[in-house]
Amino acid sequence: MFPTTPSASSPLPARPGGGPKVPVRRRTRQVRVGDVLVGGGAPVSVQTMTTTNTADVDATLRQIAAVTAAGCDIVRVAVPSQDDADALPALVAKSPIPVIADIHFQPRYVFAALDAGCAGVRVNPGNIRRFDDRVGEIARAAAAAGVPIRIGVNAGSLDGRMLAKYGGATPEALVESALWECSLFEEHGFRDLKIAVKHHDPLVVVAANRLLSARCDYPL
């Protein structure tokens, strides 16, 4: 578990011996993932993802139990198929920590996750067919369920428009893609969002998150 970090209103003092000050944590919007608060001054939460076949309920639950014992607060499971979506109700019912559904390929799995009672839904617009066309419907369903959406942008599946504009998966391309998707939800009055950007180069990830920090108040 990470230690609780003060909000922007209570910066940490200098370290003993005159060492560097710990950076003040930025104030963000807050979302609720089941019983876990994320952002807005809440303690930093630990999330991981299962490596099992989600449709194998017993194996997935065993892994969820293991990560919970290790101190994990939230767990994410992949949902690339209908069999995986069908397993979600059993996983949600028996998991000791909130379950987030990581949606692949089909927008209909978002609605299956909401119906199953998942505490959050992660969407990567780059690998979901015609995702932008369904944002309004997804926003209404998520708002009705009180479930936050995580916008996850990956360098490996970045929107072709961003690749063409920036000449590759640059920090600016990742950020513009994420904020574009957020804006589509905002058009429908939905702001219960988190953002995550991924790249194989950690320096690109750091740069992208710094840009996001300056341009939005969503938790990262």
Side-chain angles (χ1 to χ4, degrees), residues 169-176 199 203-205 207-208 211:
T170 64
E172 294 78 9
L174 295 171
V175 169
E176 183 167 335
H199 194 284
L203 295 180
V204 174
V205 176
L211 289 172

Side-chain angles (χ1 to χ4, degrees), residues 17 31 68 81 85 110 142 147 150 154-155 162 180 185 187 198 206 216-217:
V31 299
T68 302
S81 74
V110 174
V147 170
R150 169 177 164 169
N154 283 3
M162 301 302 168
W180 163 254
F185 280 95
E187 287 177 2
K198 292 183 183 179
V206 170
C216 73
D217 64 352

Side-chain angles (χ1 to χ4, degrees), residues 8 15 26 31 34 44 56 85 90 93 97 136-137 156 165 168 174 192 200 211 217:
R15 293 178 178 175
R26 98 194 213 281
V31 299
V44 174
D56 187 339
I97 56 177
E137 189 179 357
K165 178 176 180 179
L174 295 171
D192 208 6
H200 64 272
L211 289 172
D217 64 352

Side-chain angles (χ1 to χ4, degrees), residues 50 52 56-69 91:
T50 57
T52 56
D56 187 339
V57 173
D58 289 342
T60 303
L61 285 172
R62 285 195 298 271
Q63 198 164 92
I64 291 174
V67 300
T68 302
L91 295 174

Side-chain angles (χ1 to χ4, degrees), residues 30-38 42-46 73-74 97-98:
Q30 188 171 82
V31 299
R32 180 179 291 276
V33 182
D35 58 357
V36 179
L37 295 176
V38 177
V44 174
S45 53
V46 179
D73 300 303
I74 303 168
I97 56 177

